[in-house]
Amino acid sequence: MPLLEQRSVNELARRRHATRFCVITAKYIPWDPIGAMPDDRKDGRLMLLWEGDRPVIGRWDNGRKGWEAPEGMHLFEEITYWADINSPE
């Protein structure tokens, strides 16, 4: 099917089901200052962290005494806030 026709079909499908679309919202993230983090969170679990001006996923590296990226294992330098990672409820 040519691209123009496919767009038309997709637009018709979207209009036909427009009443079924909903906006997905996320719960408010309760950020806490990193200094207020309980020691039990430094057990290697993944945490939501705020570094500089962006959110990151990281975990505590007890050997290096710092927060690291789980994939690249580089240490984060400016962690200022934290939040638990919770499932959507």
Side-chain angles (χ1 to χ4, degrees):
M1 178 180 304
L3 184 59
L4 184 56
E5 288 179 38
Q6 182 62 43
R7 280 192 215 149
S8 299
V9 169
N10 290 343
E11 181 63 28
L12 287 174
R14 187 169 51 245
R15 287 182 186 172
R16 190 173 302 141
H17 299 289
T19 57
R20 294 184 189 172
F21 284 113
C22 66
V23 175
I24 298 173
T25 59
K27 292 187 334 182
Y28 168 75
I29 297 172
W31 293 101
D32 288 308
I34 197 68
M37 177 184 279
D39 286 337
D40 68 348
R41 298 304 199 284
K42 294 181 178 180
D43 60 0
R45 73 179 84 180
L46 294 177
M47 301 290 298
L48 183 58
L49 305 167
W50 191 265
E51 182 195 34
D53 62 350
R54 65 192 176 106
V56 295
I57 302 293
R59 65 175 168 223
W60 181 255
D61 182 327
N62 205 30
R64 297 193 291 172
K65 302 292 184 208
W67 294 99
E68 69 179 9
E71 289 85 28
M73 305 200 47
H74 70 276
L75 288 177
F76 295 119
E77 296 180 13
E78 299 180 43
I79 300 299
T80 54
Y81 293 93
W82 69 277
D84 286 315
I85 297 178
N86 299 315
S87 63
E89 296 175 353

